[in-house]
Structure formats: structure tokens, C-alpha cells
Amino acid sequence: MVLVSRMDRLEPETRRILQLASVIGRTFYFSVLKMIAGTGNQLNQHLRHLQRAGMIREFARFPESQYSFRHVLAQEAAYNTILIRQRRHFHRQVGEAIEEIFADRLVDQASLLAHHFGQAGDDERVLPYTILAAENAARLYANEDAIAYYTRAIEIATKHALDSISASYIPELGSLHKMSLGHLYESLADLLAMTGDYLNAHDTFSESLLAYDTDQPLSMARVHQKIGKNWTRQLRFKEASLSLGTAEEILQAASDHDGAEWHAAW
């Protein structure tokens, strides 16, 4: 109630700036807020008013000017005053602003972009960023986050019956230009196995086999090998032998015996 009453005492335009900042997040870049607010040079004045009101503080000036809400409750209170249909529109604006301002650093902004386009309900746009956020988290061994991101990516991809994901319209995502649903399942299964969730890893590896095309024998052989290793970790050696044998049969039947990928799988 105290926070709401303090917001009610703000000038309408200053209150609008506070609402937009709350959409960006607990912390927010000045440049992003300026792009979506469209207030020009007056933005600094509104931010000073919000600082004097004890709502926000400036905590960084280099390399980018950044502000933060003094308390998460202040951000939540401001955010909750925005109509739901407006929130979706604002989240899309924030996502597009981040894409433009940080066009040369999109990899670092993947989790933010996944969040904002997700809140905007733009599944096609959120998908490649969710995949990239999963890769970033896995690289940092933040396994729980990576599992959550891959799970979300699979939900979106299967919801729209996408068997491959194109990210060619987004700069810096060349490695994700074509990423199959089978690969997403396989990546998720790798993480589940790594964290000791062998039963779910097995089921997820099986899903990846179903998702891969039959004309992708090397991918299927690789997954059978991983299933074999997953059985071995559970001391299920008979099942492991069968899976590894299946992988060997697929590799022997593969036509590209001279390819680098074939030799790596073998």
C-alpha cells in the first residue's frame, strides 16, 4: 500500500516511465528505457524524480548506464499496475530494443530476449533465444537452468509442429541456423544423464530417436551409443550391450564411411 500511494503521487509521465522500467526488469539499461519511452532528453529528469522518490537508484555508468529498483517489491508494484494486454506489447518493445542496441552482443542477452519475447507471446521469436540461453547455461554448468530452457524450447517446438528451427533472421546465431527437434531432445537428455536422472535421460534419448529422420543414421547411432552409456551407469550391462550393438549396426550400414562425422561416431 505504501509503494502504491507513493506511485500515485508521481506525475503521470514519471509514473509511465516507472512502469516501463518495471517491464525491463529489476535492473534496466538507460539506453533500452530511452528507446521504448520516447521521451528524449526529459528521461533524465524523470529518472531523477524517481531517485528522489526512493524508487530507483543508479548503480553503473560504464560501459552502459544502468539503474535498478531499490526493492523488488517496488518493481512488482509498478508492473502490476500495467494492463495485461499492454504488458505483452511492452515486452515486445523491450525485446526489439535489446536486439537493436546489443546487436553485436546478442549471445550475452539470450536469456533476457527469451524472457521478453516469451512474455510477448512470440513463440517463433523466443525459440532460438531459448535454445541459445540453454547452450549458454550448459556451458557454465548451470544445469538446472539449461534443463529448464531446453524443456521450454521443446515445448514450443512441438506445440507448433516444428521439426527444425531456423534462426537465420537473427544476427550472431549462425550456429543455430538449423537445429532439429532431435538435437534438442538429445541435448536435454545429455544434461539429464549428467545430473544422474538416468530414467528421464533414457526416455528423452528415445524421444530424440523418434524425432531424428531415418536419413540421419549418424545422429541415430550417436544417440544409441549414449543410451548404451546411460545403461552402463546404471550397471545394466546387457541393455548397454544391445544399444551399443545397434549403434554399430547403424554405422556399418551407413553409406558415408569416409566422412569425418562417421569416423568420430565410430
Side-chain angles (χ1 to χ4, degrees):
M1 292 296 293
V2 175
L3 288 171
V4 174
S5 64
R6 285 163 67 182
M7 283 190 289
D8 288 340
R9 290 196 294 270
L10 296 172
E11 293 292 327
E13 184 60 14
T14 303
R15 186 164 59 249
R16 185 183 77 90
I17 296 300
L18 184 68
Q19 289 175 318
L20 291 175
S22 74
V23 174
I24 300 172
R26 174 76 189 277
T27 64
F28 54 94
Y29 289 105
F30 174 85
S31 56
V32 175
L33 181 59
K34 182 178 181 180
M35 182 169 286
I36 67 172
T39 54
N41 295 330
Q42 294 180 335
L43 180 57
N44 283 313
Q45 179 181 345
H46 295 302
L47 291 174
R48 283 193 294 270
H49 287 165
L50 291 172
Q51 287 178 282
R52 286 197 294 269
M55 305 296 289
I56 65 171
R57 66 184 180 88
E58 185 179 22
F59 76 92
R61 293 187 178 182
F62 182 85
E64 298 280 345
S65 178
Q66 285 184 273
Y67 292 80
S68 71
F69 283 83
R70 285 192 171 275
H71 198 285
V72 66
L73 293 178
Q75 182 209 354
E76 292 175 352
Y79 188 80
N80 289 334
T81 62
I82 307 172
L83 296 176
I84 292 177
R85 66 175 180 273
Q86 288 182 313
R87 292 178 194 173
R88 294 168 71 91
H89 172 69
F90 291 151
H91 276 293
R92 182 184 295 277
Q93 283 188 311
V94 172
E96 291 173 347
I98 292 172
E99 280 187 320
E100 182 172 340
I101 293 169
F102 301 102
D104 60 340
R105 286 173 281 167
L106 290 179
V107 172
D108 299 330
Q109 304 296 329
S111 59
L112 271 178
L113 288 161
H115 167 71
H116 287 296
F117 285 124
Q119 291 297 313
D122 189 343
D123 283 351
E124 182 179 352
R125 212 159 178 183
V126 73
L127 187 52
Y129 288 123
T130 302
I131 297 170
L132 188 54
E135 288 192 340
N136 288 345
R139 195 176 300 114
L140 296 171
Y141 297 100
N143 294 327
E144 289 187 8
D145 290 340
I147 287 170
Y149 281 126
Y150 274 124
T151 300
R152 178 60 180 146
I154 290 169
E155 288 173 353
I156 296 171
T158 53
K159 172 184 173 183
H160 296 284
L162 299 176
D163 58 3
S164 64
I165 300 95
S166 173
S168 58
Y169 63 94
I170 298 176
E172 291 198 14
L173 300 190
S175 64
L176 300 179
H177 177 69
K178 208 74 171 178
M179 201 164 181
S180 69
L181 184 57
H183 190 96
L184 295 181
Y185 275 118
E186 183 182 352
S187 298
L188 174 58
D190 286 339
L191 288 164
L192 293 170
M194 185 186 303
T195 57
D197 191 354
Y198 302 129
L199 293 178
N200 281 324
H202 178 83
D203 291 343
T204 309
F205 278 131
S206 298
E207 290 289 348
S208 72
L209 288 174
L210 294 173
Y212 277 128
D213 293 331
T214 55
D215 62 352
Q216 296 175 281
L218 299 184
S219 295
M220 296 186 74
R222 182 180 63 246
V223 173
H224 278 293
Q225 288 175 332
K226 291 179 177 181
I227 291 174
K229 292 176 183 177
N230 194 53
W231 282 128
T232 301
R233 294 188 185 102
Q234 301 172 74
L235 306 181
R236 302 277 293 273
F237 300 115
K238 181 178 179 180
E239 292 88 342
S241 179
L242 290 171
S243 295
L244 294 173
T246 300
E248 184 176 346
E249 290 173 4
I250 293 172
L251 288 172
Q252 288 177 339
S255 58
D256 185 17
H257 286 192
D258 295 325
E261 188 179 355
W262 184 91
H263 283 287
W266 186 259

